[in-house]
């Protein structure tokens, strides 16, 4: 048995802006953590790979390795992800992002599946909420800088 979660979020930006901010390595370096170093690389094509490596609040290094299954800019991303973290099991998950234009904004739905336990699912759901908050702040601050 595996566990999953779904998160929905409205962004005050176009689907293209959200899509690009999510996948662009330069953008990820700005929003992925709250100022700690982030190393990231992406081959943005179906079958392409990406990784993001960052330092956690407690000083540990985590690494997410991804393979793109679907890339339909700016409306859909599906990727397989393996996260390597200290003191946590290694397993593969699937993330499906849908981005829908709604009244000049973007309604994002993330379905994240494949967790081996409820505890891992809950831990990742909480972390994903933080990442989405950071992404939202990055998009908002970028819009302010560009205006």
């Amino acid at each position: 048995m595996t566990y999953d979660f779904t998160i929905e979020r409205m962004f005050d930006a176009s689907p293209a802006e959200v899509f690009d901010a999510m996948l662009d390595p330069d953008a990820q370096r700005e929003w992925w953590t709250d100022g700690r170093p982030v190393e990231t690389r992406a081959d943005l094509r179906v079958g392409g790979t990406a990784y993001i490596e960052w330092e956690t609040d407690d000083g540990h290094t985590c690494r997410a390795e991804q393979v793109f299954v679907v890339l339909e800019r700016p409306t859909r991303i599906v990727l397989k992800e393996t996260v390597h973290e200290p003191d946590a099991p290694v397993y593969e998950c699937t993330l499906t992002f849908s981005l829908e234009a709604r009244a000049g904004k973007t309604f994002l739905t993330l379905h994240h599946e494949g967790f081996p336990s409820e505890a891992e699912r809950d831990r990742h759901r909480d972390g994903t909420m933080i990442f989405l908050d950071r992404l939202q702040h990055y998009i908002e601050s970028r819009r302010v800088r560009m205006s």
Side-chain angles (χ1 to χ4, degrees), residues 74-133:
T75 59
R76 189 168 144 92
I77 303 163
V78 179
L79 58 89
K80 300 283 186 184
E81 179 176 77
T82 304
V83 177
H84 302 270
E85 301 175 277
D87 304 321
V90 175
Y91 50 88
E92 183 180 86
C93 288
T94 301
L95 291 83
T96 301
F97 297 89
S98 300
L99 295 90
E100 177 186 338
R102 289 192 185 174
K105 298 182 180 190
T106 299
F107 185 74
L108 179 141
T109 303
L110 164 60
H111 185 70
H112 197 158
E113 59 188 313
F115 296 102
S117 69
E118 288 181 72
E120 281 300 304
R121 178 205 57 206
D122 294 349
R123 192 171 67 80
H124 275 80
R125 183 189 59 228
D126 294 346
T128 299
M129 295 297 288
I130 292 168
F131 286 132
L132 290 175
D133 288 346

Side-chain angles (χ1 to χ4, degrees), residues 9-65:
R9 174 77 63 101
M10 187 70 76
F11 288 87
D12 188 12
S14 70
E17 289 174 287
V18 176
F19 187 99
D20 292 346
M22 288 173 56
L23 295 179
D24 177 63
D26 290 333
Q28 290 173 338
R29 286 182 196 97
E30 286 192 48
W31 67 261
W32 194 264
T33 68
D34 56 0
R36 290 180 310 279
V38 176
E39 199 172 312
T40 180
R41 171 181 58 86
D43 177 8
L44 296 175
R45 62 182 175 84
V46 172
T49 60
Y51 77 87
I52 303 170
E53 189 170 278
W54 70 99
E55 186 180 303
T56 63
D57 292 334
D58 57 6
H60 292 102
T61 298
C62 294
R63 181 181 177 99
E65 298 172 348

